[in-house]
Amino acid sequence: MTVLFGQLFTGISIGAVLLLIALGLALTFGQMNVINMAHGEFIMAGAYTTYVLQQSITGAGLSLLVALPVAFVVAGTMGVLLEILLIRRLYARPLDTLLVTWGVSLMLQQLARDIFGSPNVQTRAPDLLTGNVAVPGGLTVANNRLFILALALAAVAALTLALRFTPLGRRIRAVVQNRDLAAVSGIPTTRVDRTTFFLGSGLAGLAGVALTLLGPIGPTMGTNLIIDAFLVVVVGGIGQLKGSVIVAFALGVLQATGEYLTTLSVAKVIVFVAIVAFLQWRPQGLFTLRTRSLA
Amino acid sequence: MTLVAAAAMTACGSKTSDEGGAAGVTADVSGNTVKVGLLNSLSGTMAISEVTVRDSIMLAVEEINAAGGVLGKKIQPVGEDGASDWPTFAEKAEKLISEDRVAAVFGCWTSASRKAVKPVFEKNKALLFYPVQYEGLEQSPYIFYTGATTNQQIVPGLDYLKAQGTKSVYLVGSDYVFPRTANKIIKAYAAANGMTVVGEDYAPLGSTEFGTIVNKVKSSGAKAVFNTLNGDSNVAFFKEYKSAGLTAAAMPVVSVSIAEEEVKSIGTQYLEGQLTAWNYYQTTPGAANGKFVAAYKAKYGADKPTSDPMEAAYVSVYLWKAMVEKAGAFDVEKVRGASDGITFDAPEGLVTVDGKTQHIAKTARIGKVGADGLITEVWNSGKPIAPDPYLKTYPWASGLS
């Protein structure tokens, strides 16, 4: 029983990591039809930001708290630059954005290698986050995993509130539902796109900070994560936040269960087979956007 | 002036040996220098480890040159970058042998890179000195293995656990040749020594999600973990291990590929108290090690630790020198013929070359990671253990090779 709950929590925490990396992608891929392969490198940028901050701020807890907003802005700014320099020229050509951003992702990896060296680096976790909480029944829950879960849920909540109740959120939703109609209604779609890109990329930066608590920071860390993030977004249904949330946790739990019963490699196969089967049944993903747009 | 003359002679030398290619490529020793090849990854994922090996080979070369060289010739190192890429290793090995005409090559780290260059050295009848512990079950007439084979590292590690009364172990490793072979050996050992292997898990190289594996380890009730994970996965594994509340006191992890350099990068806080199995630590006592550590730090910086593969690489240059001097020639076959019984007062203690297997007798040492990131010995085999790459002297291992 303890094992069961332990695994359930592991699954949820894998889901939380998936959600955090997929959230930004859901925003940019889903809402703007841009396949941003460089999203993984924005995660890496967030992780390296944490590392750089820790060189000057010695308190591990404080530097982590500072890293969250700074990484958001750093990754967000990189996203906006990418949008201005390249992506806005390719809005009507989603497949080309894939190639272009893939090239950018390779360049960013090399840049990271040149700046930080090819060996991976580490950050110190605050003492509070290296321990665990004992739950009655012999179960222990790792603090760093709890922190990531809280961060992911907070990001979802903030994003949902922003999309639903702020003027910016209303404009984003309008652009998503019908870009042309939004434009003729006087919504500055270019500026909305740019802000969306900033938010989406910034969320990748947050994910990067969270990942420093779990493993090494290296130039290729993004490529290992980007596939999983795409799966979450596609299976969840493009442009659907709630789809991403449900699918991230479902895949996390499926992965953890499969891994427990078999091995890590077999569990990955199980997850992929499940996804393929699901997409056969619902090619449009878990949720679909009802829109009057003709596109 | 002498330089020009030497260059001219070198050119001549390579020309003449071009014609006598049938018996393998001969080293060019016509000048007053002798070239040796240095083949390590200076870029890519393995650079973190292999650069330190290159540094310690360079230290040995400089020391030998300062003391007059080998057979009156100064060693001229020719460096190549294997770039953590196995085909590149093979290509660069070929280049060092046939273009640079080196007398010997020092380097390689992963078993994959060694397997890639092995046919190149065998075809050209050239010499490789390989300085890293490996999974055993291999022997080549053109490779000298100066790191540990399984009976000098993994078996003593298990002997240590057994002596501590550890009855059950959990095996965690990366999913490739070294851990899978090592774990086969461990399972055979366990079966013959009343130990139970309660679980076995592999993570893809570079994998960083260890939640489930650590859960499995925790609920298995094992008394110890035998860890053959390589590279970065160790970082994620030990972070997860600590946050799951597992401690070195309750369930120690014995690692066979984490040395001083890796301890530093994983983070001492996660490794303190955990065990490692090697033949050498920076803290190994003895005058020869004192001299080695002081010379290394003087050259590369006081904060640079020395580690087992670095020591094995450093020793290999001296062993080659001793073989050449005993043979009285740089000729590969003569050097091999002279190798048996060569000894050297190494930083790890006395080592002896076994001419038959071309491995060396080494002392096994179990160490514990301290709060300062250095590893101190908690047990050693007392005397050098003769190499047994195919584990022929162990009845339980009869079905393995």
Side-chain angles (χ1 to χ4, degrees), chain B residues 108-264:
Chain B
C108 293
W109 180 296
T110 63
S111 290
S113 66
R114 188 191 66 249
K115 297 264 187 212
V117 302
K118 187 166 166 262
V120 177
F121 282 93
E122 288 174 352
K123 180 190 79 187
N124 291 304
K125 299 186 167 40
L127 272 189
L128 169 71
F129 283 80
Y130 174 69
V132 185
Q133 54 83 232
Y134 79 113
E135 69 279 3
L137 311 180
E138 187 184 296
Q139 203 169 303
S140 165
Y142 297 99
I143 301 178
F144 278 94
Y145 302 78
T146 63
T149 180
T150 33
N151 79 310
Q152 298 165 322
Q153 185 193 30
I154 288 175
V155 174
L158 292 164
D159 283 341
Y160 177 78
L161 287 179
K162 189 183 162 194
Q164 302 285 304
T166 308
K167 289 267 182 258
S168 56
V169 290
Y170 203 104
L171 311 181
V172 178
S174 295
D175 208 351
Y176 80 111
V177 55
F178 167 67
R180 287 214 177 247
T181 312
N183 285 351
K184 229 166 36 184
I185 293 168
I186 294 171
K187 280 188 280 184
Y189 175 98
N193 287 279
M195 222 183 243
T196 344
V197 173
V198 292
E200 182 182 2
D201 262 300
Y202 297 93
L205 262 178
S207 171
T208 53
E209 182 55 67
F210 281 90
T212 305
I213 288 181
V214 168
N215 268 355
K216 280 194 196 175
V217 170
K218 196 176 177 185
S219 59
S220 72
K223 291 287 173 256
V225 176
F226 209 97
N227 167 24
T228 45
L229 288 172
N230 265 53
D232 294 342
S233 295
N234 277 303
V235 179
F237 173 71
F238 279 102
K239 280 190 172 178
E240 199 75 49
Y241 202 77
K242 185 169 185 199
S243 45
L246 294 169
T247 61
M251 200 193 281
V253 181
V254 183
S255 306
V256 290
S257 56
I258 296 176
E260 285 84 346
E261 190 72 32
E262 284 79 18
V263 168
K264 217 172 65 182

Side-chain angles (χ1 to χ4, degrees), chain A residues 7 10 120 122 140 145 212, chain B residues 209 215 218 232 240 265:
Chain A
Q7 269 314 100
T10 303
N120 292 355
Q122 302 304 317
T140 52
R145 299 276 184 177
T212 64
Chain B
E209 182 55 67
N215 268 355
K218 196 176 177 185
D232 294 342
E240 199 75 49
S265 71

Side-chain angles (χ1 to χ4, degrees), chain B residues 297-313:
Chain B
K297 288 185 186 289
K299 187 164 160 62
Y300 296 107
D303 61 329
K304 296 279 193 213
T306 56
S307 70
D308 183 288
M310 289 165 59
E311 191 260 0

Side-chain angles (χ1 to χ4, degrees), chain A residues 197-214:
Chain A
F197 225 82
F198 179 80
L199 292 177
S201 309
L203 286 168
L206 281 191
V209 179
L211 286 169
T212 64
L213 295 170
L214 296 179

